[in-house]
Amino acid sequence: MGRIQKRFCLVLFVVALFSLSGCLVQSADDLYALPRQSDAYYDLQNAIDSVKSADAAYAGPLSGPNQQAVQLADLDGDGTDEALVFMRTSGEKPLRVYVFDDKDGSFALATVIEGDGTAFDAVEYVSIDDQPGLEIVLGRQLSNQILQSLSVYSYGSGRMVELMNTSYSEYKITDLNVDDQRDVLILRRDAEARTGVAEYYCYSDGAMTRTQSAALSRDIESIERITTGYVSAEVPGVFVTSTYGEESGNLGEGTLITDVLAFRGQTFCNLTVSAQSGISTQMVRSMSVYATDIDDDGLVELPTLMALPSASAEESYFLVQWYGLKTDGTREKKLTTYYNYSYAGGWYLVIPEAWEDQLTISRTTEVAGIYRYTFSRWIDREVEPQEILSIYTISGEDRHSLAQSDGRFLLSERGETVYAASLGESSLSRTISEEKVKTMFSLILDDWNSGET
């Protein structure tokens, strides 16, 4: 019996089975009716309606992983979720979180969290006090202010207890002191004084208290990205990348600077800030490249730029050298890449160490839709650079055939752009192969260059 015949017989069997059970005896209205919500849904909606005032509006957090106006979390650790409803009303404390407890299948209002501000910034549910249940980490935006307000609440027996409250520019839930408890890292920037501080809060004796603090680089303009990872195999860190503005002196616009926050022994500190200048020694000018685990070894590497010679005064190219940081502040070189993020989402190429001191790069437009980046061996200005390899970005209807013609071979594809390469005639070209170039080439992940915290 063929496949189509078997499927037809299976359909007939199912229809017959449903007919015998009475499942098909329905009116046309029943067949097209919307699915009915559960009794718990209507019970919660009735509970919300009973407390929602006429001037109240649902107002979910604006950022973070939890942005719904109605959320569920097991706050007291009894195995049943509480319902949290985020609303904005009028009055002195317009931001309110209504907490409804599920008692025997019926929701009832247990408590209300009230606070100042114009909007909820973010909310997270984490275990902080090492007791059953989850604490609420709640951020609020304050009117026309850079600083925001962060509170941590613990719920139990129908009561909500505030464990901490402080102002913040950014925050992270982390465990930098490696005690298997979740702590709160506060980053606070003073725009007028152009200074910043990182404060570390731990839970102890029924409250979150500030245990230690460390200075951020002075003159930071804005925090662009916060990366969490490991400095070394046993030392976690938080990598805070910030920008500098026009008032940052000779550093210039477009400068990114990274503060690395970690524990050195029992001391919380900034591993990269200079005691003399108050500025991190880790800076990158005129390129949006951030700390990341570039070589997939489980540790976060830091980027620095190396300028390349150029035959044209109008062109300037840089290699990105990646360093691992040690807790004593010293660095170890890990990898070198050429990093191109200006076209079609971006790509990077791992550069062999032997090329670094004898490399130049140029960019040309072959024909419409084909851009070529040529990596050549540099000798001096009097000698024509010798091509090692070229990387092509190709768009258009014929992109696949073009990527595999005129000596080119396909590397990768993203959207309507394909990436290809060709080998040159330099002696350095003989040290690589097509397969080697494919391992050297990678696309930049979307979130790697997003600047999101």
Side-chain angles (χ1 to χ4, degrees), residues 6 8 36 58 61 63 116 155 186 213 223 227 284 296 397 400 445:
K6 288 182 179 180
F8 180 71
R36 183 178 183 276
Y58 291 106
S63 64
D116 299 327
Y155 174 77
I186 295 293
S213 63
I223 296 173
T227 301
V284 173
D296 294 323
E397 294 182 359
H400 291 97
L445 299 178

Side-chain angles (χ1 to χ4, degrees), residues 45-87:
Q45 186 63 60
N46 291 333
I48 295 173
D49 290 341
S50 68
V51 300
K52 186 174 182 290
S53 60
D55 63 346
Y58 291 106
L62 300 179
S63 64
N66 306 302
Q67 298 184 27
Q68 304 86 353
V70 180
Q71 303 180 24
L72 299 176
D74 184 5
L75 302 179
D76 55 10
D78 64 354
T80 303
D81 287 339
E82 281 69 43
L84 296 91
V85 181
F86 295 78
M87 292 189 185

